[in-house]
Amino acid sequence: MKRLFVILVFLLLPVLAGWSAVGHSANAGFEAANRLYDQGKYSEAAAEYQKLIQSGAGTAAVYFNFGNALLKSGQIGRAVAVYRTLESSTPRDPDLAANLKFAISQVKGPAFKPDRFRQSLKKVTLNEWTLAVAACFWGTLCLLALSKLRPNLYRTLRLYTLLAGAATVLLATCLVLAVRQASTPTAIVIAREAQVRQAPLEETPPVFNVYDGAELLVLDRNQDWLQVSADARRTGWVQKNHVLTTTP
């Protein structure tokens, strides 16, 4: 057994050393990017944060600082896209919410603005919605089973069972709506100014203009164009290279 343990340790040493080297490299890269940010070199800092994300070291702190560096360098649309990505995993982070709100306040012109109900759905992650539905569902089943095993408690448990069942249905509905919202593609403008045209052709007249950071609903795709909407009255086609899409 001792010999086997020694062999296993010998085999694992290179793996552990590799993990340590990767972690040290990521920490060094993060600190270097932070120094550039503190020196006011926001574009350079953003490039370093992006390298960390591409290398697989994209922690919440890296994403947050990446968004801040982009915002400081005047890239509002790209900053909003990074904040939206981080929002899906940490929707109730007060610093993130404040920075996202500030970034959106800098956007000019028309943009899609979700209603309060949609905004409230995004305050809970999809994993949290799923866990809440599962907890209420199993709680309902346990109450039903207990009422069968203890008939004398049926009347007492009936109200709690109905409440648990109703909560399950309500939370399941919210989960479906949250999944649908999360899977709805949105486009974030990254150009200083872009024209939304009547058709996916440069020869067609523009319907309205959008500006850096504007968020738009994606309705359709046609080669290098996206059909987008800011509201019920503003719909048209914008070139893909002027926007970033937040979902596939």
Side-chain angles (χ1 to χ4, degrees):
M1 288 296 293
K2 290 183 179 180
R3 182 177 297 178
L4 179 60
F5 177 75
V6 171
I7 293 173
L8 288 173
V9 170
F10 180 77
L11 292 174
L12 287 174
L13 278 176
V15 178
L16 295 174
W19 285 349
S20 177
V22 170
H24 178 74
S25 176
N27 289 334
F30 186 55
E31 291 174 1
N34 289 342
R35 283 195 295 271
L36 289 171
Y37 184 92
D38 292 338
Q39 294 167 8
K41 300 177 181 179
Y42 302 119
S43 296
E44 293 89 336
E48 292 302 315
Y49 291 127
Q50 188 170 24
K51 288 180 183 177
L52 288 171
I53 292 170
Q54 291 172 343
S55 69
T59 63
V62 171
Y63 270 97
F64 183 68
N65 288 8
F66 181 35
N68 294 344
L70 290 170
L71 186 59
K72 288 283 190 178
S73 63
Q75 303 179 67
I76 301 175
R78 295 184 185 277
V80 171
V82 172
Y83 290 147
R84 288 298 188 195
T85 299
L86 187 56
E87 187 184 41
S88 63
S89 58
T90 57
R92 296 181 297 279
D93 184 291
D95 294 328
L96 173 61
N99 287 17
L100 179 57
K101 183 178 180 179
F102 176 78
I104 292 174
S105 71
Q106 305 302 302
V107 179
K108 301 184 297 182
F112 173 72
K113 293 180 174 60
D115 55 38
R116 289 185 178 181
F117 179 70
R118 292 190 182 189
Q119 291 177 347
S120 63
L121 285 177
K122 296 176 71 173
K123 295 297 182 182
V124 181
T125 67
L126 293 181
N127 286 341
E128 289 170 342
W129 281 120
T130 303
L131 288 173
V133 172
C136 284
F137 175 74
W138 285 107
T140 304
L141 290 184
C142 289
L143 288 170
L144 286 171
L146 186 58
S147 64
K148 293 293 184 182
L149 293 172
R150 297 289 183 88
N152 58 313
L153 296 177
Y154 175 78
R155 290 186 177 181
T156 304
L157 295 175
R158 183 180 180 184
L159 177 60
Y160 295 108
T161 304
L162 290 174
L163 289 174
T168 302
V169 173
L170 178 61
L171 291 172
T173 302
C174 290
L175 173 60
V176 170
L177 294 174
V179 170
R180 184 178 298 176
Q181 178 173 274
S183 60
T184 300
T186 57
I188 301 174
V189 180
I190 57 173
R192 292 296 178 188
E193 182 178 357
Q195 292 183 325
V196 180
R197 299 182 179 276
Q198 289 183 358
L201 296 169
E202 291 189 21
E203 295 78 12
T204 57
V207 182
F208 60 98
N209 289 356
V210 288
Y211 301 89
D212 191 16
E215 296 177 271
L216 307 165
L217 283 181
V218 176
L219 305 177
D220 198 2
R221 302 168 188 264
N222 187 328
Q223 296 181 351
D224 296 331
W225 295 79
L226 294 175
Q227 187 183 33
V228 296
S229 173
D231 53 50
R233 297 176 299 171
R234 295 186 179 96
T235 300
W237 294 84
V238 66
Q239 289 181 309
K240 285 183 178 179
N241 60 349
H242 291 156
V243 300
L244 288 176
T245 53
T246 56
T247 58

